[in-house]
Amino acid sequence: MTETTHAETRIHPGPRRTALVTGASSGIGLAFAERLARDKYDLILVARSRERLEDLAKRLTEAHGHEVEVLPADLTQPAELRRVEERIRGERTLELLVNNAGFGTVGRFAELDPDREEDEIRLNVIALVRLARAALAGFVERGHGSIVNVSSLAAFQPDPFTATYGATKAFVNSFTEALHEELRETGVRVQALCPGFTRTEFQERAGVDTRTVPDFAWMDPGPVVEASLAALRRGDVICVPGATNRGIAAFSRLAPHVLTRRISAAMMRRGLV
Ligand code: NAP
């Protein structure tokens, strides 16, 4: 067991703390929900699939005895997004927002479905911004609270053949870093969590063939969540989980885009498109 597995993730322990996790029905969001339930948070779980959320809520309530609320919503739909915003504004015990729901599209941009590209921006960017805005007003007023915006290693360079996805995640990093500076001295923390290849439903939903991705490049969602919560306690604004991913991110940050975008294109051409 690592040190972080048992560490208390609550930044401001109190009588009752609530976390809202989007995309909690699978993958990284589900791992956040499980971890936060163990840490005695009450939970509000958001995703489209009501049944999967209800099964998870039942399991977590039985295991930990905390309140777990299911809030099914398609966050690409403005009216449903507004419902979640209102729920956030009304929750005085909200301590943590995990803006995790997201998906990617892969292929030549000129051939991709424009409506799907728009939905990708709605979910990965618009929903994330609106939910952050809904949470921040209360956090700043109360002088505490945290937001984890789930980004990606894709944020660090342009990403040919998954261009919209990479651009949404570059937005998430830029937005989060800017908020981090705005929020200095307020007691509120924000983080962009930038995982690399993680074993979830993401790749299958994106239609990515991952057979050429070596084993060492993969992480499970649990350690990604542990790294995020440890970084939150330290106050790191960018969290890249895993040594391999940190090496890739360091290279992408230092190398010029003309090089990194060529490498990304070559890798995608070879294995994934
Ligand atoms: P995942 O297993 O596919 O989970 C995605 C979650 O988002 C699901 O709970 C899904 O639930 C929810 N979701 C999708 N569309 C939604 C919508 N319109 N409204 C509300 N919820 C929606 O993938 P994951 O890997 O855990 O992805 C989580 C985050 O990690 C994403 O932001 C992704 O970009 C990021 N990420 C993943 C990887 C990776 O390799 N897995 C790498 C870097 C970054 P429903 O289908 O029930 O709505």
Side-chain angles (χ1 to χ4, degrees), residues 11 69 135 167 196 205 207 212 221 254 259 266:
I11 308 294
E69 176 184 328
R205 289 183 199 234
T212 58
L254 291 173
L259 181 62

Side-chain angles (χ1 to χ4, degrees), residues 113-272:
D113 174 0
D115 293 334
R116 184 94 175 128
E117 297 299 283
E118 180 178 333
D119 278 351
E120 191 175 0
I121 297 167
R122 283 186 186 284
L123 184 62
N124 297 7
V125 174
I126 309 282
L128 177 140
V129 167
R130 291 203 65 106
L131 297 184
R133 174 65 183 81
L136 273 178
F139 285 171
V140 171
E141 186 193 314
R142 295 192 286 275
H144 55 87
S146 304
I147 299 178
V148 174
N149 289 326
V150 181
S151 181
S152 168
L153 270 193
F156 294 106
Q157 68 287 307
D159 299 284
F161 304 107
T162 180
T164 304
Y165 180 70
T168 65
K169 297 304 186 180
F171 177 98
V172 172
N173 277 29
S174 174
F175 176 67
T176 307
E177 285 197 69
L179 289 186
H180 175 74
E181 293 305 322
E182 280 187 28
L183 292 164
R184 272 186 196 285
E185 319 293 331
T186 63
V188 179
R189 297 180 186 194
V190 287
Q191 176 192 107
L193 169 62
C194 305
F197 285 108
T198 310
R199 292 182 190 90
T200 68
E201 297 176 15
F202 178 88
Q203 321 293 344
E204 198 184 327
R205 289 183 199 234
V208 180
D209 179 354
T210 54
R211 279 173 298 183
T212 58
V213 181
D215 261 5
F216 69 81
W218 289 95
M219 285 183 77
D220 285 323
V224 170
V225 168
E226 295 304 330
S228 169
L229 295 172
L232 201 58
R233 286 191 295 276
R234 290 193 301 271
D236 296 351
V237 60
I238 300 287
C239 170
V240 180
T244 304
N245 293 334
R246 278 194 293 280
I248 294 168
F251 174 75
S252 291
R253 279 164 153 161
L254 291 173
H257 275 183
V258 65
L259 181 62
T260 54
R261 72 187 184 226
R262 288 273 168 88
I263 294 171
S264 295
M267 285 171 64
M268 291 296 274
R269 274 203 188 90
R270 225 189 49 202
L272 306 178

Side-chain angles (χ1 to χ4, degrees), residues 23 25-26 28 48-49 74-75 100 165 169 198 200 203 205:
S25 61
S26 74
I28 295 169
R48 291 167 302 181
S49 35
D74 181 341
L75 297 172
N100 161 78
Y165 180 70
K169 297 304 186 180
T198 310
T200 68
Q203 321 293 344
R205 289 183 199 234

Side-chain angles (χ1 to χ4, degrees), residues 6-72:
H6 288 303
E8 173 60 73
T9 58
R10 286 187 294 173
I11 308 294
H12 291 271
R16 188 174 165 226
R17 295 284 181 251
T18 301
L20 185 142
V21 182
T22 71
S25 61
S26 74
I28 295 169
L30 188 146
F32 263 109
E34 286 174 335
R35 174 64 159 100
L36 295 168
R38 283 209 306 278
D39 277 354
K40 304 181 173 50
Y41 278 87
D42 290 334
L43 291 171
I44 303 172
L45 306 178
V46 179
R48 291 167 302 181
S49 35
R50 174 187 289 275
E51 206 173 308
R52 290 177 83 170
L53 292 180
E54 282 175 349
D55 288 349
L56 175 62
K58 187 165 177 286
R59 184 159 64 76
L60 294 180
T61 310
E62 280 168 7
H64 306 288
H66 306 295
E67 261 184 49
V68 184
E69 176 184 328
V70 160
L71 184 54

